[in-house]
Amino acid sequence: MCSYETIIGLEVHVQLNTKTKIFCACATSFGDEPNKNVCPTCLGLPGALPVLNKEALKKAISFGKAIDATINQNSIFARKNYFYPDLPKAYQISQFEIPIVGKGSLNIELDNQSKTIGITRAHLEEDAGKNIHEEGYSKVDLNRACTPLLEIVSEPDMRSSDEAIAYLKKLHSIVRFLGISDANMQEGSFRCDANVSVRPQGDSKLYTRVEIKNLNSFKFIQKAIEYEVQRQRAAWEDGRYEQEVVQETRLFDTSKGITRSMRGKEEAADYRYFPDPDLLPVYIEQQLLQEAEQIPEMPDEKRERYINTLGIKPYDANVLTSSLELCLFFESMLEHNISPKNALTWLTTELLGRLKGELTLQNCGISPTKLATLVQRIEEGKISGKSAKEILDTLVQNPSNDVDSLIDSMGLAQMNDDSALLSIIESVLNANEDKVAEYKSGKDKLFGFFVGQVMKNTKGANPQRVNELLKDKLNSH
């Protein structure tokens, strides 16, 4: 049986988080009353002229900087002509020949191996509106029309759905760390079109590609790609490739887990691109370019710093840098001068492990300061790790509680008074002279027995200090 190679390229549409639309002053807020945020420009009324949003331009440049791409100081906008009910002008203002962002790349890691995925371009364009289909009729909401999008086009460098998801997650984290988009997939701020083709292993030819449109969850993107790969492989094996695999746009049916034909796929010539006569060519001045290129620390840079400076293991560094919220929480904890490793454990294992159902890091009510205070009390020896877990359980249930107040009210403070501990140790040893003799004769395992007896006779003693004092006392007894 012939083996096949999968070829995947992705087009990702990122909604930029500007306050106003890309060519007019209408708000970009999500969830407003339908057709509230519209004006003559985004409705495409005669005589209305577009004006480019400078902030959208800056955000596009900052993305280019993050992927080490070429930034084109001279760029033009074009009209992409097609008719659809949610496109009031019957054309979309986009970019064709000269995009803002040229060739770049990003690295993904999968199974402890690194791979570079090429990015062909990233161009600015306006979004369309939204069609709402209800029983018997359809409606159009144009609030989203003219919202700024950054379309990021990859090279066909991915060879599996796993690689595609790793690329998308990396891209998602980059735009979030840059602060140029909330990348909320449920609201459509980060959505993907997947171009998928299959060829016999060893063949260098690129065969017919199928586009799967408007995927907005990592889970469904992976399932859609995997189904399409199987469909095309089956067509190859049945000898029906040319009949069944045609250049088209398909949709993913999430209820059935299959892709189905939507329409024939257009070529660039079908869109009749031409420079938009209402928009001047864009020239990015040097000052604006320098401003836009001042970007924050990116996930890969943070990862290297966590590993090399903070001593965090690579796996844990990957976990932290997978989410902007995790990174910000972690770094806020470190401002309280606690151990990075303890901060990591109590954030990723203890706190996240307790967040079930609707609870998230953002809405659980436990601040980085509160969790750092809990870690501080452990490091100070005021409470044990076991006691800290009890306190965290209580905080998750009622986050308004104060750490120090809970330590007192729950009676969890460790005894750190050496004189009191020595008195208890002395009484335990005197009550078990036979076992002391056995210990001194070589039965080292009895040390655990003595520790247990001391802990039983104290109310929350510091185990480490008990061990130290007990060892000294036994050696001198």
Side-chain angles (χ1 to χ4, degrees), residues 288-312:
L288 176 61
L289 192 62
Q290 290 172 349
E291 287 176 12
E293 288 183 340
Q294 299 303 307
I295 63 174
E297 190 178 37
M298 288 289 97
D300 284 350
E301 295 169 324
K302 281 188 182 293
R303 179 182 179 276
E304 292 305 309
R305 178 166 62 84
Y306 290 169
I307 294 169
N308 298 327
T309 304
L310 301 182
I312 302 295

PDB file of all heavy atoms in Angstrom, residues 288-312:
ATOM      1  N   LEU A 288       7.374  56.133  13.168  1.00  0.00           N
ATOM      2  CA  LEU A 288       6.275  55.202  13.419  1.00  0.00           C
ATOM      3  C   LEU A 288       6.783  53.767  13.401  1.00  0.00           C
ATOM      4  O   LEU A 288       6.391  52.936  14.236  1.00  0.00           O
ATOM      5  CB  LEU A 288       5.181  55.385  12.363  1.00  0.00           C
ATOM      6  CG  LEU A 288       4.001  54.414  12.441  1.00  0.00           C
ATOM      7  CD1 LEU A 288       3.273  54.538  13.766  1.00  0.00           C
ATOM      8  CD2 LEU A 288       3.045  54.643  11.274  1.00  0.00           C
ATOM      9  N   LEU A 289       7.685  53.481  12.492  1.00  0.00           N
ATOM     10  CA  LEU A 289       8.259  52.140  12.401  1.00  0.00           C
ATOM     11  C   LEU A 289       8.995  51.784  13.686  1.00  0.00           C
ATOM     12  O   LEU A 289       8.840  50.676  14.229  1.00  0.00           O
ATOM     13  CB  LEU A 289       9.210  52.083  11.204  1.00  0.00           C
ATOM     14  CG  LEU A 289       9.715  50.713  10.753  1.00  0.00           C
ATOM     15  CD1 LEU A 289       8.564  49.835  10.313  1.00  0.00           C
ATOM     16  CD2 LEU A 289      10.732  50.861   9.630  1.00  0.00           C
ATOM     17  N   GLN A 290       9.782  52.709  14.206  1.00  0.00           N
ATOM     18  CA  GLN A 290      10.531  52.457  15.440  1.00  0.00           C
ATOM     19  C   GLN A 290       9.604  52.292  16.636  1.00  0.00           C
ATOM     20  O   GLN A 290       9.824  51.437  17.495  1.00  0.00           O
ATOM     21  CB  GLN A 290      11.527  53.600  15.683  1.00  0.00           C
ATOM     22  CG  GLN A 290      12.686  53.611  14.683  1.00  0.00           C
ATOM     23  CD  GLN A 290      13.553  54.853  14.801  1.00  0.00           C
ATOM     24  OE1 GLN A 290      13.198  55.816  15.490  1.00  0.00           O
ATOM     25  NE2 GLN A 290      14.693  54.855  14.114  1.00  0.00           N
ATOM     26  N   GLU A 291       8.551  53.104  16.693  1.00  0.00           N
ATOM     27  CA  GLU A 291       7.578  52.994  17.786  1.00  0.00           C
ATOM     28  C   GLU A 291       6.908  51.622  17.768  1.00  0.00           C
ATOM     29  O   GLU A 291       6.773  50.963  18.802  1.00  0.00           O
ATOM     30  CB  GLU A 291       6.507  54.077  17.661  1.00  0.00           C
ATOM     31  CG  GLU A 291       6.972  55.475  18.018  1.00  0.00           C
ATOM     32  CD  GLU A 291       5.881  56.508  17.768  1.00  0.00           C
ATOM     33  OE1 GLU A 291       4.712  56.108  17.536  1.00  0.00           O
ATOM     34  OE2 GLU A 291       6.188  57.718  17.790  1.00  0.00           O
ATOM     35  N   ALA A 292       6.465  51.210  16.589  1.00  0.00           N
ATOM     36  CA  ALA A 292       5.722  49.955  16.463  1.00  0.00           C
ATOM     37  C   ALA A 292       6.598  48.739  16.727  1.00  0.00           C
ATOM     38  O   ALA A 292       6.098  47.677  17.123  1.00  0.00           O
ATOM     39  CB  ALA A 292       5.096  49.857  15.076  1.00  0.00           C
ATOM     40  N   GLU A 293       7.907  48.879  16.502  1.00  0.00           N
ATOM     41  CA  GLU A 293       8.810  47.744  16.687  1.00  0.00           C
ATOM     42  C   GLU A 293       9.265  47.572  18.137  1.00  0.00           C
ATOM     43  O   GLU A 293      10.008  46.633  18.456  1.00  0.00           O
ATOM     44  CB  GLU A 293      10.030  47.885  15.764  1.00  0.00           C
ATOM     45  CG  GLU A 293       9.688  47.647  14.293  1.00  0.00           C
ATOM     46  CD  GLU A 293      10.896  47.721  13.393  1.00  0.00           C
ATOM     47  OE1 GLU A 293      11.913  48.317  13.811  1.00  0.00           O
ATOM     48  OE2 GLU A 293      10.829  47.185  12.267  1.00  0.00           O
ATOM     49  N   GLN A 294       8.828  48.464  19.040  1.00  0.00           N
ATOM     50  CA  GLN A 294       9.147  48.319  20.462  1.00  0.00           C
ATOM     51  C   GLN A 294       8.153  47.340  21.081  1.00  0.00           C
ATOM     52  O   GLN A 294       7.102  47.715  21.600  1.00  0.00           O
ATOM     53  CB  GLN A 294       9.069  49.678  21.164  1.00  0.00           C
ATOM     54  CG  GLN A 294      10.041  50.717  20.629  1.00  0.00           C
ATOM     55  CD  GLN A 294      11.485  50.246  20.692  1.00  0.00           C
ATOM     56  OE1 GLN A 294      11.977  49.824  21.738  1.00  0.00           O
ATOM     57  NE2 GLN A 294      12.181  50.317  19.560  1.00  0.00           N
ATOM     58  N   ILE A 295       8.462  46.066  20.995  1.00  0.00           N
ATOM     59  CA  ILE A 295       7.516  45.043  21.433  1.00  0.00           C
ATOM     60  C   ILE A 295       7.946  44.443  22.774  1.00  0.00           C
ATOM     61  O   ILE A 295       9.120  44.464  23.130  1.00  0.00           O
ATOM     62  CB  ILE A 295       7.367  43.929  20.376  1.00  0.00           C
ATOM     63  CG1 ILE A 295       8.696  43.194  20.162  1.00  0.00           C
ATOM     64  CG2 ILE A 295       6.838  44.501  19.069  1.00  0.00           C
ATOM     65  CD1 ILE A 295       8.582  41.981  19.247  1.00  0.00           C
ATOM     66  N   PRO A 296       6.980  43.899  23.539  1.00  0.00           N
ATOM     67  CA  PRO A 296       7.320  43.273  24.814  1.00  0.00           C
ATOM     68  C   PRO A 296       8.051  41.949  24.629  1.00  0.00           C
ATOM     69  O   PRO A 296       8.228  41.475  23.489  1.00  0.00           O
ATOM     70  CB  PRO A 296       5.951  43.052  25.476  1.00  0.00           C
ATOM     71  CG  PRO A 296       4.995  42.968  24.325  1.00  0.00           C
ATOM     72  CD  PRO A 296       5.541  43.891  23.268  1.00  0.00           C
ATOM     73  N   GLU A 297       8.471  41.366  25.726  1.00  0.00           N
ATOM     74  CA  GLU A 297       9.158  40.072  25.696  1.00  0.00           C
ATOM     75  C   GLU A 297       8.205  39.006  25.159  1.00  0.00           C
ATOM     76  O   GLU A 297       7.103  38.841  25.655  1.00  0.00           O
ATOM     77  CB  GLU A 297       9.614  39.717  27.115  1.00  0.00           C
ATOM     78  CG  GLU A 297      10.545  38.536  27.201  1.00  0.00           C
ATOM     79  CD  GLU A 297      10.992  38.287  28.640  1.00  0.00           C
ATOM     80  OE1 GLU A 297      10.156  38.473  29.561  1.00  0.00           O
ATOM     81  OE2 GLU A 297      12.150  37.900  28.846  1.00  0.00           O
ATOM     82  N   MET A 298       8.658  38.272  24.152  1.00  0.00           N
ATOM     83  CA  MET A 298       7.835  37.263  23.506  1.00  0.00           C
ATOM     84  C   MET A 298       7.952  35.904  24.218  1.00  0.00           C
ATOM     85  O   MET A 298       8.870  35.689  25.010  1.00  0.00           O
ATOM     86  CB  MET A 298       8.251  37.128  22.037  1.00  0.00           C
ATOM     87  CG  MET A 298       7.831  38.323  21.176  1.00  0.00           C
ATOM     88  SD  MET A 298       6.033  38.392  20.898  1.00  0.00           S
ATOM     89  CE  MET A 298       5.550  39.545  22.178  1.00  0.00           C
ATOM     90  N   PRO A 299       7.013  34.972  23.952  1.00  0.00           N
ATOM     91  CA  PRO A 299       7.020  33.679  24.656  1.00  0.00           C
ATOM     92  C   PRO A 299       8.358  32.946  24.622  1.00  0.00           C
ATOM     93  O   PRO A 299       8.805  32.422  25.641  1.00  0.00           O
ATOM     94  CB  PRO A 299       5.930  32.894  23.922  1.00  0.00           C
ATOM     95  CG  PRO A 299       5.000  33.927  23.406  1.00  0.00           C
ATOM     96  CD  PRO A 299       5.851  35.106  23.058  1.00  0.00           C
ATOM     97  N   ASP A 300       9.021  32.911  23.448  1.00  0.00           N
ATOM     98  CA  ASP A 300      10.305  32.188  23.357  1.00  0.00           C
ATOM     99  C   ASP A 300      11.371  32.850  24.234  1.00  0.00           C
ATOM    100  O   ASP A 300      12.185  32.160  24.868  1.00  0.00           O
ATOM    101  CB  ASP A 300      10.796  32.153  21.906  1.00  0.00           C
ATOM    102  CG  ASP A 300      10.037  31.133  21.066  1.00  0.00           C
ATOM    103  OD1 ASP A 300       9.282  30.343  21.660  1.00  0.00           O
ATOM    104  OD2 ASP A 300      10.205  31.127  19.837  1.00  0.00           O
ATOM    105  N   GLU A 301      11.362  34.181  24.270  1.00  0.00           N
ATOM    106  CA  GLU A 301      12.330  34.902  25.110  1.00  0.00           C
ATOM    107  C   GLU A 301      12.059  34.644  26.590  1.00  0.00           C
ATOM    108  O   GLU A 301      12.990  34.454  27.379  1.00  0.00           O
ATOM    109  CB  GLU A 301      12.268  36.396  24.805  1.00  0.00           C
ATOM    110  CG  GLU A 301      12.695  36.755  23.387  1.00  0.00           C
ATOM    111  CD  GLU A 301      12.385  38.187  23.013  1.00  0.00           C
ATOM    112  OE1 GLU A 301      11.333  38.717  23.447  1.00  0.00           O
ATOM    113  OE2 GLU A 301      13.193  38.796  22.297  1.00  0.00           O
ATOM    114  N   LYS A 302      10.792  34.657  26.956  1.00  0.00           N
ATOM    115  CA  LYS A 302      10.435  34.377  28.352  1.00  0.00           C
ATOM    116  C   LYS A 302      10.854  32.960  28.732  1.00  0.00           C
ATOM    117  O   LYS A 302      11.388  32.721  29.813  1.00  0.00           O
ATOM    118  CB  LYS A 302       8.917  34.530  28.565  1.00  0.00           C
ATOM    119  CG  LYS A 302       8.453  35.973  28.696  1.00  0.00           C
ATOM    120  CD  LYS A 302       6.999  36.034  29.101  1.00  0.00           C
ATOM    121  CE  LYS A 302       6.502  37.460  29.186  1.00  0.00           C
ATOM    122  NZ  LYS A 302       7.130  38.214  30.281  1.00  0.00           N
ATOM    123  N   ARG A 303      10.593  32.034  27.830  1.00  0.00           N
ATOM    124  CA  ARG A 303      10.932  30.636  28.092  1.00  0.00           C
ATOM    125  C   ARG A 303      12.423  30.492  28.380  1.00  0.00           C
ATOM    126  O   ARG A 303      12.822  29.831  29.352  1.00  0.00           O
ATOM    127  CB  ARG A 303      10.530  29.785  26.881  1.00  0.00           C
ATOM    128  CG  ARG A 303      10.854  28.306  27.019  1.00  0.00           C
ATOM    129  CD  ARG A 303      10.461  27.549  25.739  1.00  0.00           C
ATOM    130  NE  ARG A 303      10.785  26.151  25.846  1.00  0.00           N
ATOM    131  CZ  ARG A 303      11.961  25.624  25.600  1.00  0.00           C
ATOM    132  NH1 ARG A 303      12.977  26.417  25.235  1.00  0.00           N
ATOM    133  NH2 ARG A 303      12.178  24.323  25.720  1.00  0.00           N
ATOM    134  N   GLU A 304      13.256  31.098  27.536  1.00  0.00           N
ATOM    135  CA  GLU A 304      14.704  31.006  27.736  1.00  0.00           C
ATOM    136  C   GLU A 304      15.126  31.655  29.050  1.00  0.00           C
ATOM    137  O   GLU A 304      15.999  31.141  29.757  1.00  0.00           O
ATOM    138  CB  GLU A 304      15.443  31.668  26.563  1.00  0.00           C
ATOM    139  CG  GLU A 304      15.292  30.931  25.232  1.00  0.00           C
ATOM    140  CD  GLU A 304      15.701  29.470  25.333  1.00  0.00           C
ATOM    141  OE1 GLU A 304      16.817  29.200  25.832  1.00  0.00           O
ATOM    142  OE2 GLU A 304      14.897  28.607  24.939  1.00  0.00           O
ATOM    143  N   ARG A 305      14.499  32.774  29.391  1.00  0.00           N
ATOM    144  CA  ARG A 305      14.837  33.445  30.658  1.00  0.00           C
ATOM    145  C   ARG A 305      14.421  32.593  31.856  1.00  0.00           C
ATOM    146  O   ARG A 305      15.163  32.477  32.842  1.00  0.00           O
ATOM    147  CB  ARG A 305      14.158  34.815  30.725  1.00  0.00           C
ATOM    148  CG  ARG A 305      14.411  35.568  32.028  1.00  0.00           C
ATOM    149  CD  ARG A 305      14.021  37.018  31.917  1.00  0.00           C
ATOM    150  NE  ARG A 305      12.604  37.201  31.649  1.00  0.00           N
ATOM    151  CZ  ARG A 305      11.655  37.200  32.604  1.00  0.00           C
ATOM    152  NH1 ARG A 305      11.985  36.998  33.870  1.00  0.00           N
ATOM    153  NH2 ARG A 305      10.395  37.399  32.282  1.00  0.00           N
ATOM    154  N   TYR A 306      13.259  31.990  31.774  1.00  0.00           N
ATOM    155  CA  TYR A 306      12.791  31.141  32.880  1.00  0.00           C
ATOM    156  C   TYR A 306      13.741  29.961  33.101  1.00  0.00           C
ATOM    157  O   TYR A 306      14.031  29.583  34.239  1.00  0.00           O
ATOM    158  CB  TYR A 306      11.389  30.605  32.588  1.00  0.00           C
ATOM    159  CG  TYR A 306      10.286  31.640  32.632  1.00  0.00           C
ATOM    160  CD1 TYR A 306       9.017  31.337  32.162  1.00  0.00           C
ATOM    161  CD2 TYR A 306      10.501  32.925  33.133  1.00  0.00           C
ATOM    162  CE1 TYR A 306       7.993  32.275  32.191  1.00  0.00           C
ATOM    163  CE2 TYR A 306       9.490  33.867  33.158  1.00  0.00           C
ATOM    164  CZ  TYR A 306       8.242  33.535  32.689  1.00  0.00           C
ATOM    165  OH  TYR A 306       7.230  34.456  32.722  1.00  0.00           O
ATOM    166  N   ILE A 307      14.218  29.387  31.989  1.00  0.00           N
ATOM    167  CA  ILE A 307      15.105  28.222  32.088  1.00  0.00           C
ATOM    168  C   ILE A 307      16.492  28.636  32.575  1.00  0.00           C
ATOM    169  O   ILE A 307      17.030  28.053  33.537  1.00  0.00           O
ATOM    170  CB  ILE A 307      15.206  27.506  30.720  1.00  0.00           C
ATOM    171  CG1 ILE A 307      13.861  26.890  30.333  1.00  0.00           C
ATOM    172  CG2 ILE A 307      16.285  26.422  30.762  1.00  0.00           C
ATOM    173  CD1 ILE A 307      13.795  26.392  28.900  1.00  0.00           C
ATOM    174  N   ASN A 308      17.075  29.645  31.937  1.00  0.00           N
ATOM    175  CA  ASN A 308      18.470  29.998  32.187  1.00  0.00           C
ATOM    176  C   ASN A 308      18.678  30.868  33.421  1.00  0.00           C
ATOM    177  O   ASN A 308      19.727  30.786  34.067  1.00  0.00           O
ATOM    178  CB  ASN A 308      19.047  30.707  30.954  1.00  0.00           C
ATOM    179  CG  ASN A 308      19.051  29.830  29.722  1.00  0.00           C
ATOM    180  OD1 ASN A 308      19.225  28.618  29.814  1.00  0.00           O
ATOM    181  ND2 ASN A 308      18.830  30.417  28.558  1.00  0.00           N
ATOM    182  N   THR A 309      17.706  31.707  33.751  1.00  0.00           N
ATOM    183  CA  THR A 309      17.868  32.626  34.874  1.00  0.00           C
ATOM    184  C   THR A 309      17.163  32.137  36.128  1.00  0.00           C
ATOM    185  O   THR A 309      17.694  32.248  37.231  1.00  0.00           O
ATOM    186  CB  THR A 309      17.328  34.033  34.501  1.00  0.00           C
ATOM    187  OG1 THR A 309      17.991  34.473  33.319  1.00  0.00           O
ATOM    188  CG2 THR A 309      17.585  35.027  35.618  1.00  0.00           C
ATOM    189  N   LEU A 310      15.974  31.577  35.954  1.00  0.00           N
ATOM    190  CA  LEU A 310      15.185  31.172  37.125  1.00  0.00           C
ATOM    191  C   LEU A 310      15.325  29.696  37.467  1.00  0.00           C
ATOM    192  O   LEU A 310      14.830  29.249  38.500  1.00  0.00           O
ATOM    193  CB  LEU A 310      13.698  31.496  36.888  1.00  0.00           C
ATOM    194  CG  LEU A 310      13.358  32.967  36.612  1.00  0.00           C
ATOM    195  CD1 LEU A 310      11.861  33.130  36.442  1.00  0.00           C
ATOM    196  CD2 LEU A 310      13.864  33.857  37.744  1.00  0.00           C
ATOM    197  N   GLY A 311      15.973  28.922  36.590  1.00  0.00           N
ATOM    198  CA  GLY A 311      16.182  27.509  36.880  1.00  0.00           C
ATOM    199  C   GLY A 311      14.938  26.663  36.710  1.00  0.00           C
ATOM    200  O   GLY A 311      14.825  25.571  37.285  1.00  0.00           O
ATOM    201  N   ILE A 312      13.986  27.119  35.908  1.00  0.00           N
ATOM    202  CA  ILE A 312      12.763  26.364  35.649  1.00  0.00           C
ATOM    203  C   ILE A 312      13.046  25.300  34.587  1.00  0.00           C
ATOM    204  O   ILE A 312      13.759  25.553  33.615  1.00  0.00           O
ATOM    205  CB  ILE A 312      11.632  27.302  35.162  1.00  0.00           C
ATOM    206  CG1 ILE A 312      11.356  28.395  36.191  1.00  0.00           C
ATOM    207  CG2 ILE A 312      10.370  26.526  34.850  1.00  0.00           C
ATOM    208  CD1 ILE A 312      10.814  27.923  37.506  1.00  0.00           C
TER     209      ILE A 312
END
